[in-house]
Amino acid sequence: MTVCLRGINETDRGPIHLVIAGYRAQPAPGVIQAANLSGATYAVHWAAGKWAEAGASVGVMARSVQVGVPALKAGRLLAGVGSLAGGAGGMLVLGAGQFRHRYWCARRDGKRLAGLLGTIPGIRTRPLHLIGHSLGTVVIRSALETLAEDYRIENVMLMGGVAGRDGWESVAQRFTGRLVNLYSRRDAILSIAPVMERLVGNGVVATQCPSLSTTRLINHDLCSQLPNPFNAIAHHSGYWKHFGRYL
């Protein structure tokens, strides 16, 4: 089993929050505790991957630099530029392949999450909130398609999500509260993500579905409140700093 729950604040009273981080990341207990969420809070650990797996793509680029830079210094422009361009292309291809594999893992582990929730005290009688960032939103979307209808799922919050914008009507009946989509149109990380569909993390979720009316669907552009977009990684991960107050 590649997905598991880690208790951050365990209690048998009040609502239950499931917090799910994204690609090559796990929810930081200190950040979650600082949010002071009422009730119980659990971090969902899934097969998000580790930065160590990026070694292959980094190695391709490093090798191209070892070959290309000396070639440029020796005046062999074509060989130098070709080596550097080939290394950059190889790194992008490997990186895209790794991301697509983790996207598949997110879909798979979202389905597996349903089998773990029975270990939480009172899970079927207490309000359940789902909070996800980046690829964690794909885990949430997959879980919503799988979870039994007798769970009391209330609010769903997406932060810088890789989940697609379309099709939320099909899972709107699975939760009773709000779908809160926090996004940034200038999220450079999502702009280069190798996913064909439009992503919730850089645009609004639009729907005409009566069960997901404008009172239940909230889109909020946080671009101006996140770190400067020129710092792409900090901008994409900046949602965590104040995520507790968004709920």
Side-chain angles (χ1 to χ4, degrees):
M1 183 69 70
T2 56
V3 59
C4 65
L5 299 174
R6 302 283 175 84
I8 303 297
N9 179 32
E10 299 184 73
T11 174
D12 57 1
R13 296 183 179 181
I16 299 168
H17 303 86
L18 298 185
V19 184
I20 313 171
Y23 185 40
R24 295 176 180 167
Q26 298 294 352
V31 173
I32 297 174
Q33 290 173 339
N36 291 320
L37 301 176
S38 61
T41 306
Y42 293 86
V44 178
H45 289 236
W46 60 284
K50 299 180 180 180
W51 282 103
E53 73 182 15
S57 57
V58 173
V60 168
M61 191 63 208
R63 179 58 180 166
S64 73
V65 170
Q66 289 176 343
V67 174
V69 172
L72 290 173
K73 289 181 178 180
R76 292 180 289 133
L77 181 64
L78 185 61
V81 172
S83 295
L84 293 174
M91 183 177 68
L92 289 174
V93 169
L94 284 172
Q98 291 164 358
F99 183 89
R100 288 297 304 175
H101 174 65
R102 293 305 163 185
Y103 186 94
W104 177 85
C105 289
R107 292 283 305 166
R108 178 200 63 192
D109 290 352
K111 293 180 173 62
R112 291 178 172 180
L113 179 60
L116 293 178
L117 297 186
T119 61
I120 300 177
I123 184 65
R124 294 185 184 275
T125 59
R126 299 164 63 186
L128 178 61
H129 303 285
L130 305 179
I131 307 163
H133 174 254
S134 195
L135 266 181
T137 63
V138 177
V139 178
I140 286 179
R141 177 63 183 269
S142 180
L144 284 173
E145 296 169 355
T146 311
L147 289 173
E149 295 184 359
D150 57 347
Y151 285 112
R152 290 182 55 192
I153 304 173
E154 293 196 354
N155 297 320
V156 176
M157 189 170 77
L158 315 174
M159 304 184 296
V162 181
R165 298 184 207 172
D166 300 324
W168 286 93
E169 297 88 347
S170 63
V171 295
Q173 300 288 354
R174 295 296 184 101
F175 58 96
T176 60
R178 296 175 174 177
L179 174 63
V180 182
N181 177 37
L182 306 178
Y183 69 96
S184 169
R185 296 185 185 276
R186 300 180 64 187
D187 191 327
I189 298 296
L190 295 183
S191 297
I192 63 173
V195 181
M196 297 301 294
E197 56 189 335
R198 299 181 306 159
L199 306 182
V200 296
N202 52 19
V204 300
V205 175
T207 178
Q208 303 297 322
C209 178
S211 62
L212 196 57
S213 62
T214 54
T215 58
R216 292 186 60 206
L217 176 60
I218 297 176
N219 291 288
H220 191 47
D221 188 349
L222 291 181
C223 181
S224 62
Q225 300 177 39
L226 297 173
N228 193 299
F230 286 106
N231 188 341
I233 294 178
H235 188 78
H236 179 62
S237 61
Y239 298 90
W240 289 111
K241 186 175 182 180
H242 301 297
F243 88 99
R245 76 182 185 193
Y246 301 143
L247 281 175

